[in-house]
């Protein structure tokens, strides 16, 4: 017998019933709704950017803006990787368990 036996959401999914929601966040439906909303917002932003770019006409752009954008993207990726690594180290060493305890 598994340790999750008796959990209503798990049993419903195992038997093919239920609404598919998993946990308090609402499960895959919430994730799907958020993904659709993000895609719609991205599309609206892209259309706006294309409209503005079309109104600007020909604009000469040198190499410097591309260097700045590339550097910014690289720094943000490195910062994200560093913060993710720090959360893993903190979890492994048990610092997360010590929070809130006297």
């Amino acid at each position: 017998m598994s340790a999750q036996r008796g959990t209503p959401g798990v049993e419903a999914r195992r038997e093919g019933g239920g609404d598919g929601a998993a946990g308090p966040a609402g499960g895959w439906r919430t994730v799907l709704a958020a993904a659709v909303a993000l895609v719609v917002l991205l599309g609206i932003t892209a259309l706006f950017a294309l409209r503005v770019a079309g109104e600007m006409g020909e604009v000469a752009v040198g190499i410097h803006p591309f260097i700045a954008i590339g550097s910014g993207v690289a720094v943000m990726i490195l910062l994200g990787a560093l913060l993710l690594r720090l959360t893993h180290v903190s979890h492994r060493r048990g610092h997360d368990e010590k929070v809130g305890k006297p």
Side-chain angles (χ1 to χ4, degrees):
M1 185 175 269
S2 79
Q4 293 181 346
R5 207 79 158 132
T7 307
V10 173
E11 290 300 317
R13 280 191 301 276
R14 227 181 249 146
E15 296 168 5
D19 62 356
W28 63 271
R29 288 183 179 159
T30 302
V31 172
L32 181 63
V36 168
L38 286 174
V39 168
V40 168
L41 286 175
L42 182 63
I44 291 170
T45 304
L47 289 174
F48 178 74
L50 288 172
R51 180 175 166 223
V52 169
E55 291 176 0
M56 287 177 44
E58 286 290 321
V59 177
V61 178
I63 189 73
H64 295 97
F66 295 109
I67 293 172
I69 291 171
S71 300
V73 168
V75 168
M76 290 299 109
I77 290 173
L78 289 173
L79 180 62
L82 174 68
L83 291 174
L84 185 62
R85 176 69 180 148
L86 286 174
T87 58
H88 286 290
V89 169
S90 174
H91 177 70
R92 280 188 177 170
R93 293 186 181 173
H95 295 298
D96 298 337
E97 301 298 326
K98 295 176 187 175
V99 175
K101 293 183 180 178

